[in-house]
Amino acid sequence: LRPGPYAGGAGESTGYSIGGNGGGSLVIRARDGVSIAATGIVTATGGDAFPATFGVDPDSPGAGGGAGGLIIIMSKGNILNAGRIDVGGGKGAEASVSYSGGAGGGGGGGIIHLLSPNANSVGGILFVDGGTAAANSETSYTAPGGGGGALGGAGGTGSDSDAPIANAVPGSSGFIVRTETTAPESFLF
């Protein structure tokens, strides 16, 4: 397991609406154990899309949200999580206020991989949900909205400009991988 610095895909940009950045990757390797307190948060979330600024380009459909990233926690001892591990996808953006463009889709959820002797019983909040899609403000579109980025879960599609009109779709959930092992270092190469 040697992920690079990038993990989640970025959302699709449209005109002057910028797609959300994809979440990064984080690997925690511990010899003893890992403990995340109730107020602790470990995150590699996808970024929300940025809507076009009115007056800059009023003719821009909404962009897609970025996908959640990748978090790997490997420990020879137990992993205790009373907090939150979050690789959720980012939100899609709405079209410019005065424009009949489509809304952006949500980014897909990322991946959490736990490797430890107690991986199957790690609790706390393990969040891998996809991002929400932007609301449609029009009933017809001259251009479709941008799609969300993907990693574990698929990015949602933007509003479709073809008949019949399709609403923007949220990103799908990512996934959690649990590997029970007393030798997590054997997964490194």
Side-chain angles (χ1 to χ4, degrees):
L1 299 172
R2 290 191 186 235
Y6 307 108
E12 177 184 12
S13 294
T14 56
Y16 286 88
S17 183
I18 300 169
N21 290 327
S25 65
L26 172 68
V27 178
I28 297 172
R29 298 184 295 190
R31 287 191 177 140
D32 293 323
V34 175
S35 181
I36 301 168
T39 57
I41 300 172
V42 180
T43 183
T45 57
D48 294 343
F50 296 95
T53 304
F54 183 72
V56 173
D57 179 14
D59 297 336
S60 185
L70 170 66
I71 294 177
I72 300 171
I73 301 176
M74 48 191 349
S75 175
K76 290 180 79 70
N78 288 334
I79 298 172
L80 304 173
N81 178 32
R84 179 182 182 97
I85 302 171
D86 189 342
V87 293
K91 299 176 187 174
E94 295 181 0
S96 301
V97 176
S98 64
Y99 182 60
S100 60
I111 300 170
I112 297 171
H113 191 171
L114 305 170
L115 299 98
S116 72
N118 73 326
N120 290 331
S121 61
V122 173
I125 299 170
L126 304 174
F127 191 81
V128 296
D129 289 2
T132 58
N136 295 310
S137 58
E138 302 289 335
T139 56
S140 65
Y141 307 109
T142 55
L151 180 65
T157 56
S159 298
D160 190 352
S161 59
D162 296 329
I165 299 299
N167 292 333
V169 176
S172 62
S173 292
F175 52 92
I176 301 164
V177 179
R178 298 172 185 262
T179 305
E180 287 209 349
T181 178
T182 57
E185 67 278 7
S186 65
F187 290 87
L188 298 172
F189 46 87

